[in-house]
Amino acid sequence: MKNIVIAIDGTSASGKSTNAKLVARALGFVYVDTGAMYRTLAWYCLQKKVDPHDAKAVAAACRKWKTKLECVEKDGLRAVHLLVDGYYPEREIRTAATSAAVPHVAAVPKVREWMVRQQRECEPFGNLVMEGRDIGTNVFPETDFKFYLDASLAERSARRAADGVQENLAARDERDSQRAVAPLMVPLGARVINNSNMTSEQTSGLILKEIRERLGR
Ligand code: DC
C-alpha cells in the first residue's frame, strides 16, 4: 500500500458519508463511497430484472456487467465513481427500491469478492478516504487509520427522515451484521465514535485531529 487509506466504517445513517467527505476535502484526499458501488449493482439488477434474492443470478450479473472506475473532481472534492456502460447512476441508486435490494446483493460472496478487488484498485488514484462496512476489516485491513461511526437508532432514523427517507434501519443493520461474509463489525484497532449528540463538524474534527497528529501535519 503506497498511499494512505483512511477507513471509515459504521452503521447506516451514522454520518459516514458526510464525515468522510469533510475529511477528504480537508486533507485533499480522494473520497470513495463503497456503499454506492453495492447500490449500483442493486440498481443494475433491478434494471435487468434480476431478482436481488437470487444469489446465483446476482453473481452472474456482477460477472458480466461492463464497468469502469473513474476519479472525478466536483466542487473541490475528488471522488471515485463506478460507471456502468459509461453511466454513473447517481440519483437512481438512492431510491427506496434500491435501498431495499442492496443488502441482499451485498450478501452474495462472489459480489463481495468483486467489490473488494475494485475497491483495492482505487488506491492508485491517490490518498483515500474510503467509507463502507468492511473497509478496516476486509478491504484495507493493513491501514493504520480506522474509524467506526455509530449513533443511536432513534438519532439515525431521525437523520434519514430529515433527508426525506423512511427506512427500517434496524432491519438493514441486522442483515448487514448477520451475513456470513464480511459482516459489519468494529475493525480491530478502530477508533469508535458515537456521534448521537455531535455535529458533523465535531465528528470530522475528531477524526482530522487524530489523523493530523499521527501524520505530523
Ligand atoms: O452506506 P450505504 O447505505 O450506501 O450502503 C448500502 C448497502 O451496501 C448497505 O446495506 C451495506 C452494504 N455495504 C456493504 O455491505 N459493504 C460496504 N463496504 C459498503 C456497503
Side-chain angles (χ1 to χ4, degrees):
M1 214 169 73
K2 254 183 22 251
N3 286 309
I4 299 166
V5 177
I6 298 168
I8 302 187
D9 291 301
T11 48
S12 304
S14 59
K16 295 187 300 295
S17 301
T18 305
N19 289 295
K21 283 183 199 162
L22 285 168
V23 170
R25 254 181 225 283
L27 297 173
F29 285 17
V30 176
Y31 167 65
V32 188
D33 176 357
T34 62
M37 297 170 72
Y38 287 94
R39 284 173 178 274
T40 301
L41 180 61
W43 166 77
Y44 179 82
C45 287
L46 295 176
Q47 289 287 105
K48 298 287 174 192
K49 309 273 182 263
V50 170
D51 178 1
H53 297 88
D54 182 344
K56 266 197 172 154
V58 170
C62 184
R63 217 168 31 243
K64 283 190 239 143
W65 66 339
K66 299 275 177 285
T67 61
K68 186 171 172 246
L69 291 169
E70 203 169 72
C71 188
V72 177
E73 174 150 11
K74 198 177 155 197
D75 303 330
L77 179 70
R78 279 188 302 148
V80 175
H81 292 170
L82 179 69
L83 310 187
V84 192
D85 296 323
Y87 178 65
Y88 175 52
E90 185 169 12
R91 275 175 298 116
E92 294 90 328
I93 63 172
R94 304 291 161 192
T95 63
T98 307
S99 295
V102 67
H104 304 289
V105 167
V108 177
K110 287 285 176 205
V111 166
R112 300 207 69 87
E113 282 173 25
W114 187 92
M115 292 287 172
V116 168
R117 276 200 304 277
Q118 297 290 314
Q119 290 155 14
R120 289 190 181 141
E121 278 179 23
C122 293
E123 200 223 310
F125 287 125
N127 294 324
L128 304 178
V129 179
M130 185 175 279
E131 62 142 306
R133 303 291 192 292
D134 63 338
I135 311 309
T137 51
N138 209 31
V139 183
F140 287 106
E142 66 274 41
T143 184
D144 288 330
F145 300 95
K146 300 183 188 182
F147 296 87
Y148 184 92
L149 304 188
D150 201 0
S152 68
L153 183 59
E155 173 60 24
R156 293 186 294 116
S157 301
R159 288 176 189 167
R160 273 288 144 94
D163 289 340
V165 183
Q166 295 296 337
E167 201 193 336
N168 188 339
L169 291 179
R172 191 139 74 90
D173 287 341
E174 163 113 5
R175 273 198 295 271
D176 288 336
S177 309
Q178 300 298 318
R179 68 174 173 237
V181 184
L184 171 67
M185 61 165 96
V186 179
L188 208 65
R191 172 157 183 197
V192 179
I193 301 175
N194 185 314
N195 58 26
S196 298
N197 299 308
M198 287 162 71
T199 63
S200 43
E201 283 68 29
Q202 290 171 323
T203 305
S204 60
L206 276 184
I207 297 173
L208 281 166
K209 184 167 180 283
E210 175 162 341
I211 293 167
R212 286 185 167 130
E213 276 171 8
R214 287 170 54 200
L215 290 177
R217 293 187 185 179

